[in-house]
Amino acid sequence: VNKNNYLAAGLFIPRIGIINENHLPTTFNSVSRPQLERKLIPSTWRELGVSLYGTFPKISGLNYSLSLMNGLNSQSFETENGLREGRFEGRDASAQNLAVSGSLLYYYKSFRIQFSGYYGGSNCLDKANSDSLGIKSGAFALPVSMEEFNIQFRKSGFYSTLLFASVQIPDAPSVDTSYSSYLPELMLGFYAEAGYNILEKTKFKSKKLNLFVRHESFDLDCRIADNSILTSNYYQNYTYAGISFLPIPGVIIKADFEYQTFRTSSTLTQNNVTVNTIGNNTHKGFINFGIGYSF
């Protein structure tokens, strides 16, 4: 469009969260990508559409994006994995629904601050099939909305990251009735990470040896519909501590300890009434190793 703005069309990656646009293994320290940015924000996420990117010339460091794309598929949402399997990713998109997303990204000194949002339909059926299931049809039927805010700080080898995300599915009762999927009306979570490059002030500062810790906490059933039930592992916590080494910019060697805590649930049927009950926490620990490269 001009030197401060450009247009992307076809298969593109919406600017939502941190990992989605920057998902190559050299861009994150843990062996696996953040779980919150897999389940609430379904990275890596690419869709068909058109997107406008640009900067505000009068406000140094402020960038924006605005996108129109195909929506998600609520038939494929999973109660324990959030929205992830509802992505079309350019394959078999039904052209029955639409979505819009936008972001504001601001660079200020050592900070990177971003807010992004998404709103789109998740019914990929035509009107006849929708009517047969008793659900609404149209471009924005069975809407899904998503908001995230993240802030990153980097200076003198230190870095820290904080990200909050929420997902709303207001018509979850209709989806639950039609597909027996027990989707929540609200998912909510955050993660925080901090680390230090111990080679920053040495003669090997062209390389990186990062020590890091990250904690993630999210609730996939933060609010459920009256006709729904709690999923079996609805409240999830992940804690990572590890090390990553980048001998050259395109290669990374990683190791971390991962500690998971899941809150389980169960249901009881009494007098033909289903009652949700909260179970005990389950704990698991893993040692992970990985090698990655970007190309």
Side-chain angles (χ1 to χ4, degrees), residues 82-245:
L83 306 180
R84 186 165 186 79
E85 298 305 317
R87 304 166 299 171
F88 282 112
E89 297 192 292
R91 305 186 307 269
D92 302 322
S94 67
Q96 297 292 336
N97 57 17
L98 290 173
V100 293
S101 68
S103 70
L104 290 173
L105 171 60
Y106 185 47
Y107 292 93
Y108 178 74
K109 295 183 178 181
S110 300
F111 292 90
R112 180 189 188 274
I113 304 167
Q114 177 180 295
F115 172 80
S116 60
Y118 169 94
Y119 182 86
S122 68
N123 180 13
C124 60
L125 302 177
D126 59 24
K127 188 176 188 307
N129 285 305
S130 299
D131 290 345
S132 68
L133 291 173
I135 56 178
K136 297 177 182 178
S137 61
F140 292 94
L142 304 183
V144 174
S145 60
M146 182 188 314
E147 304 82 30
E148 71 84 19
F149 169 81
N150 70 78
I151 181 168
Q152 301 176 65
F153 172 82
R154 294 181 182 273
K155 188 172 183 180
S156 302
F158 290 95
Y159 82 91
S160 60
T161 299
L162 181 63
L163 183 147
F164 294 92
S166 65
V167 175
Q168 297 86 36
I169 310 175
D171 289 340
S174 296
V175 181
D176 294 346
T177 300
S178 301
Y179 303 129
S180 300
S181 53
Y182 303 115
L183 294 178
E185 294 180 334
L186 175 65
M187 293 181 274
L188 197 64
F190 80 96
Y191 74 78
E193 182 172 336
Y196 178 64
N197 173 21
I198 62 177
L199 300 180
E200 176 72 16
K201 296 182 180 181
T202 72
K203 63 180 181 179
F204 303 107
K205 63 181 180 180
S206 61
K207 310 177 189 303
K208 291 183 179 180
L209 184 60
N210 297 317
L211 301 177
F212 73 94
V213 293
R214 182 173 76 239
H215 179 72
E216 305 184 47
S217 180
F218 51 89
D219 190 344
L220 297 175
D221 278 346
C222 190
R223 185 174 67 241
I224 61 174
D226 292 339
N227 64 330
S228 188
I229 62 173
L230 291 172
T231 59
S232 59
N233 292 310
Y234 63 99
Y235 188 75
Q236 303 183 14
N237 288 273
Y238 299 83
T239 301
Y240 298 84
I243 187 169
S244 66
F245 177 52

Side-chain angles (χ1 to χ4, degrees), residues 2-72:
N2 57 47
K3 66 179 182 179
N4 294 316
N5 304 274
Y6 65 93
L7 200 64
L11 190 65
F12 71 96
I13 299 175
R15 182 176 290 167
I16 300 176
I18 298 172
I19 295 297
N20 201 42
E21 281 192 307
N22 305 285
H23 55 260
L24 292 176
T26 53
T27 62
F28 52 93
N29 288 306
S30 54
V31 175
S32 62
R33 298 184 181 102
Q35 295 295 325
L36 186 148
E37 293 201 75
R38 296 183 67 252
K39 298 182 179 183
L40 274 74
I41 303 172
S43 307
T44 57
W45 183 13
R46 52 192 182 272
E47 297 292 358
L48 293 170
V50 59
S51 187
L52 178 65
Y53 299 87
T55 62
F56 293 93
K58 295 183 179 180
I59 307 177
S60 177
L62 183 59
N63 304 263
Y64 72 89
S65 70
L66 185 62
S67 306
L68 177 68
M69 66 193 109
N70 62 266
L72 295 166

